[in-house]
Amino acid sequence: MEDDAPVIYGLEFQARALTSQTAESDAIRFLVGTQSLKFDNQIHIIDFDDENNIISKSVLLHQAGEIWHISASPADKAVLSTCYNKTSESRVVTCGAVWSMPPEWESGSHESPDDPHNSHNPQNLELLCHLDNSAHGNASSVLWEPMGDGKRVISLADNHALLWDLTESSTQATISSSATLEGKGQLKFTSGKWSPHHNCTQLATANDTAIRGWDLRTMSQIYCIENAHGQLVRDLDFNPNKQYYLASCGDDCKVKFWDVRNINEPVKSLEEHSHWVWSVRYNHSHDQLVLTGSSDSRVILSNMVSISSEPFGHLVDDDDLSDGEDNHQDEKSKEPLQDSIISTYEEHEDSVYAVEWSSADPWLFASLSYDGRLVINRVPRALKYHILL
């Protein structure tokens, strides 16, 4: 089988929530949450065997409601959070909660997706605590503190950003501080990202066409990019290696890269998609690799090397060069490498709502479309070796 060939897994329900299992650094594992109005919703735990190109899965029941957002604890691989819809007094509300997988989930319960007897008697997720924000509105996302101990989360609910402290067993959550979006009209956070830099004291949020930065120590706004996109901003991600760099995407079909020290204009702008861009993700190790997913049904992998932490490729030590190579190397290293589209992936037939890099393998990523199709792809081998060598 060709090494770069995609591997496809189909869920029987529609789905838009995807995350990699952040605390798992050995196994390639993704979690998918379903959106079904008629049946019990599920979390599919997808394991990928890289050597044999085989997917195995186990299914847990999420009976609370259809899942709009899922994220995994950075410290405990059995713990995750969801935002889900439920009906309360004849209206739909979106709630946030923290869950634990049952103790047996990892003990060989994985099945091949083709097994006709699979999904028999799936177990329930165990509720650890509600992020009970009924006073603050509908939860759109739950963000875990990056590289933290899994005891601090932020939930975005309508126009509130709430910072929660979880107890040792994660069975209780208390709000330690909050920030509110002030302004005219019904303001609502659409997405957010907790920065891994600055000692994890900063948060970026999107609402309508604006991107805002917040200092979590004072819960005050530190920057605001008005009209960052021509239409709604859908997603944000921080460059893992450059502390001031942020990527955004939106309904204007664009992906933009910002230096938050100079918010007047983006450092770079891409317009490769032909419909709304729902998801943007920097590679965790090699920040020139940027993934985007759109409702044009395509996933695009870009090489944004000119604004990466290695714009000239690898920096070579003078000691490593013989005299004859010296001048040639100088000329070469002064030329920044060119940005390019590496690959466009067209295995989906419906809107791609989520793309995620694997936490265990920096060269592998998953994408999820609304029809329940999960596709696992790899960075092309030639580029991988070009970056590494």
Side-chain angles (χ1 to χ4, degrees), residues 112-118:
S112 153
D114 306 324
D115 179 356
H117 305 295
N118 63 17

Side-chain angles (χ1 to χ4, degrees), residues 293-314:
S294 159
S295 35
D296 63 7
S297 308
R298 296 184 306 156
V299 174
I300 294 180
L301 175 61
S302 305
N303 189 12
M304 303 306 295
V305 67
S306 73
I307 52 172
S308 73
S309 53
E310 291 185 343
F312 299 97
H314 279 294

Side-chain angles (χ1 to χ4, degrees), residues 34-35 41 62-70 81-87 92-99 127 129-131 138-142:
T34 64
Q35 283 205 321
N41 281 282
H62 181 282
Q63 291 174 318
E66 49 174 352
I67 302 166
W68 286 82
H69 185 268
I70 184 171
S81 63
T82 61
C83 295
Y84 59 91
N85 274 5
K86 70 170 189 181
T87 312
V92 175
V93 292
T94 312
C95 310
V98 178
W99 309 85
L127 177 69
C129 63
H130 286 289
L131 300 174
N138 290 316
S140 62
S141 54
V142 174

Side-chain angles (χ1 to χ4, degrees), residues 105-169:
W105 75 271
E106 220 180 354
S107 56
S109 61
H110 286 271
E111 306 134 338
S112 153
D114 306 324
D115 179 356
H117 305 295
N118 63 17
S119 311
H120 54 281
N121 305 328
Q123 292 178 288
N124 278 303
L125 282 170
E126 296 169 6
L127 177 69
L128 291 176
C129 63
H130 286 289
L131 300 174
D132 189 6
N133 52 3
S134 47
H136 296 102
N138 290 316
S140 62
S141 54
V142 174
L143 317 169
W144 295 83
E145 180 177 27
M147 302 164 295
D149 57 2
K151 297 301 168 218
R152 295 211 309 161
V153 296
I154 289 171
S155 67
L156 300 178
D158 283 353
N159 62 333
H160 300 279
L162 310 169
L163 180 58
W164 302 81
D165 286 332
L166 303 179
T167 53
E168 196 51 49
S169 56

Side-chain angles (χ1 to χ4, degrees), residues 71-235:
S71 49
S73 163
D76 185 340
K77 47 190 181 185
V79 175
L80 62 128
S81 63
T82 61
C83 295
Y84 59 91
N85 274 5
K86 70 170 189 181
T87 312
S88 168
E89 296 161 7
S90 74
R91 65 189 189 97
V92 175
V93 292
T94 312
C95 310
V98 178
W99 309 85
S100 176
M101 300 178 192
E104 311 79 52
W105 75 271
E106 220 180 354
S107 56
S109 61
H110 286 271
E111 306 134 338
S112 153
D114 306 324
D115 179 356
H117 305 295
N118 63 17
S119 311
H120 54 281
N121 305 328
Q123 292 178 288
N124 278 303
L125 282 170
E126 296 169 6
L127 177 69
L128 291 176
C129 63
H130 286 289
L131 300 174
D132 189 6
N133 52 3
S134 47
H136 296 102
N138 290 316
S140 62
S141 54
V142 174
L143 317 169
W144 295 83
E145 180 177 27
M147 302 164 295
D149 57 2
K151 297 301 168 218
R152 295 211 309 161
V153 296
I154 289 171
S155 67
L156 300 178
D158 283 353
N159 62 333
H160 300 279
L162 310 169
L163 180 58
W164 302 81
D165 286 332
L166 303 179
T167 53
E168 196 51 49
S169 56
S170 298
T171 50
Q172 205 175 352
T174 49
I175 296 178
S176 63
S177 53
S178 65
T180 305
L181 202 50
E182 308 283 357
K184 293 189 191 120
Q186 285 212 306
L187 298 176
K188 212 180 254 191
F189 289 121
T190 49
S191 70
K193 203 75 182 182
W194 196 326
S195 170
H197 307 293
H198 314 290
N199 244 354
C200 298
T201 56
Q202 291 188 15
L203 167 74
T205 60
N207 70 286
D208 200 24
T209 60
I211 298 169
R212 295 164 201 274
W214 305 82
D215 186 329
L216 297 174
R217 294 164 297 190
T218 57
M219 280 310 210
S220 56
Q221 191 173 296
I222 45 180
Y223 58 83
C224 176
I225 309 172
E226 299 277 4
N227 301 315
H229 285 261
Q231 295 176 47
L232 187 72
V233 182
R234 290 278 174 193
D235 198 19

Side-chain angles (χ1 to χ4, degrees), residues 12-63:
E12 59 261 49
F13 299 134
Q14 292 170 325
R16 67 194 304 150
L18 167 71
T19 183
S20 65
Q21 194 179 33
T22 323
E24 175 59 78
S25 55
D26 296 329
I28 297 167
R29 188 173 295 135
F30 295 95
L31 310 177
V32 183
T34 64
Q35 283 205 321
S36 167
L37 287 169
K38 288 185 183 168
F39 303 99
D40 282 341
N41 281 282
Q42 303 170 340
I43 303 273
H44 286 235
I45 305 167
I46 308 296
D47 270 61
F48 182 61
D49 174 351
D50 195 24
E51 286 181 14
N52 301 307
N53 256 23
I54 296 170
I55 281 179
S56 56
K57 66 151 190 182
S58 51
V59 177
L60 298 172
L61 287 181
H62 181 282
Q63 291 174 318

